[in-house]
Amino acid sequence: MAVKRKRTMKHKRPPVAIEHTGFYSYLLRYNEAMSVRGYSPRTLHRRESDIRRFVGWCDDKSIDQPQDVTKPILDRYQNYLFYYRQANGEPLSATSKNHYITSVKQFFKWMTQENYLLYNPASELFVPRQRPSLPVVLSEEEVEAMMMQPDLNTPYGQRDRAILELFYSTGIRRSELISLQVDDVSLSRETIYIRDGKGGKDRLLPMGQRAAYWIKQYLQIVRSQLLTDINEQVLFINDYGDPFRDNKLGDRVKRFMTNAGITA
């Protein structure tokens, strides 16, 4: 059996507890409303985490109700994010700070639209516009160097090679790749079907012959060795027999790039 023993996560951060605050009932209704509007579970989870962070900060300041929040309070929270330092001493990235503020703005906008608030204290909250970063384009030599990084003598390496080939061939997002089901792959047509992609849209993508070859190898030889649940339909299985998580897959690809001498 190729499956590794799952390591115990000792330091997994629990969600900020806000169930005792006056914000919580509004958050539940907000999540339900956003779910009805078609937002993905991943987006809802991220927004809830951001809002919980803000409400936890409010709780420390004895601010218990959304109606107690004013523009100056939101300005203080934005300053708090600016001066906040992570465990490694680094500040929050501009992207993280913008995510946190944007989620709070959307939450207050919804409460105002639903008449839970008489006015929106976050309507004039400034969110810095980020300059779009240009995508990194790898040379053919860099791509081949990265493809050589997985150890093909192990089932994990053969799976990782299939993942890299599919990324390179189709350009799909990490969240889309980890959500792929076995039935979404057509080896005969050399296509993959993306369900609920960006903007909740489905699309059909072609994949190259080399990617199709490695996916076939993975499906015929490797995947059954990694499975712990025969009913699991997710295409790519991690070392512990579970579907991949977005950040873990990203870390794995970055490690291959680093080992190949690629800086991006």
Side-chain angles (χ1 to χ4, degrees):
M1 173 65 74
V3 177
K4 299 179 181 178
R5 288 188 62 185
K6 189 176 296 186
R7 292 169 292 181
T8 302
M9 299 294 291
K10 296 181 180 180
H11 304 293
K12 187 175 181 180
R13 182 180 299 174
V16 178
I18 66 167
E19 286 74 8
H20 61 286
T21 72
F23 288 85
Y24 185 59
S25 62
Y26 296 100
L27 178 59
L28 293 179
R29 279 171 268 180
Y30 172 75
N31 284 342
E32 182 180 9
M34 296 303 105
S35 180
V36 169
R37 292 183 188 182
Y39 286 92
S40 70
R42 183 168 174 267
T43 298
L44 293 179
H45 176 77
R46 193 200 73 228
R47 286 189 181 180
E48 178 173 337
S49 178
D50 296 347
I51 294 168
R52 281 178 176 268
R53 185 187 188 105
F54 168 71
V55 175
W57 178 86
C58 287
D59 192 35
D60 289 340
K61 306 291 186 292
S62 299
I63 302 169
D64 187 65
Q65 297 287 340
Q67 292 79 6
D68 298 331
V69 176
T70 62
K71 174 64 163 49
I73 288 174
L74 291 169
D75 288 336
R76 286 169 56 194
Y77 179 66
Q78 196 162 25
N79 287 337
Y80 160 79
L81 293 177
F82 179 79
Y83 290 108
Y84 181 84
R85 291 299 178 267
Q86 303 174 79
N88 60 4
E90 294 293 318
L92 295 171
S93 68
T95 299
S96 293
K97 288 183 288 190
N98 280 6
H99 272 311
Y100 295 148
I101 292 298
T102 300
S103 294
V104 171
K105 284 195 67 169
Q106 291 167 336
F107 182 45
F108 276 93
K109 180 180 180 181
W110 172 82
M111 285 191 289
T112 306
Q113 290 173 337
E114 295 298 314
N115 296 317
Y116 296 127
L117 299 176
L118 293 177
Y119 74 99
N120 182 2
S123 61
E124 297 181 8
L125 195 61
F126 177 69
V127 179
R129 179 176 296 178
Q130 291 181 267
R131 294 180 179 178
S133 57
L134 294 175
V136 176
V137 180
L138 303 182
S139 67
E140 186 175 343
E141 291 76 16
E142 288 175 326
V143 171
E144 291 305 322
M146 185 169 65
M147 295 299 179
M148 296 301 293
Q149 296 309 308
D151 182 0
L152 299 182
N153 293 316
T154 69
Y156 314 114
Q158 294 176 51
R159 173 207 57 207
D160 292 343
R161 179 62 180 270
I163 288 173
L164 292 177
E165 293 284 359
L166 193 60
F167 266 138
Y168 179 62
S169 178
T170 63
I172 63 173
R173 300 171 177 84
R174 285 180 303 176
S175 58
E176 293 172 340
L177 187 140
I178 63 175
S179 300
L180 280 176
Q181 306 282 301
V182 173
D183 290 342
D184 293 334
V185 177
S186 173
L187 293 174
S188 61
R189 294 186 178 90
E190 296 184 352
T191 60
I192 57 172
Y193 188 68
I194 307 298
R195 304 175 189 273
D196 295 323
K198 186 74 171 180
K201 296 179 180 178
D202 300 344
R203 65 189 193 280
L204 187 68
L205 295 178
M207 58 177 165
Q209 288 185 347
R210 199 166 80 168
Y213 168 80
W214 283 102
I215 295 295
K216 182 178 180 180
Q217 292 293 106
Y218 167 72
L219 285 172
Q220 291 184 346
I221 301 173
V222 175
R223 188 174 181 275
S224 60
Q225 299 180 53
L226 301 178
L227 279 176
T228 56
D229 179 1
I230 61 173
N231 295 316
E232 178 61 69
Q233 293 301 306
V234 169
L235 176 61
F236 288 113
I237 305 298
N238 68 15
D239 295 6
Y240 309 105
D242 298 323
F244 273 98
R245 288 190 296 170
D246 195 343
N247 60 328
K248 294 299 182 183
L249 182 61
D251 291 343
R252 184 178 293 267
V253 173
K254 288 177 183 177
R255 185 166 64 249
F256 288 141
M257 293 179 67
T258 300
N259 293 343
I262 300 169
T263 56

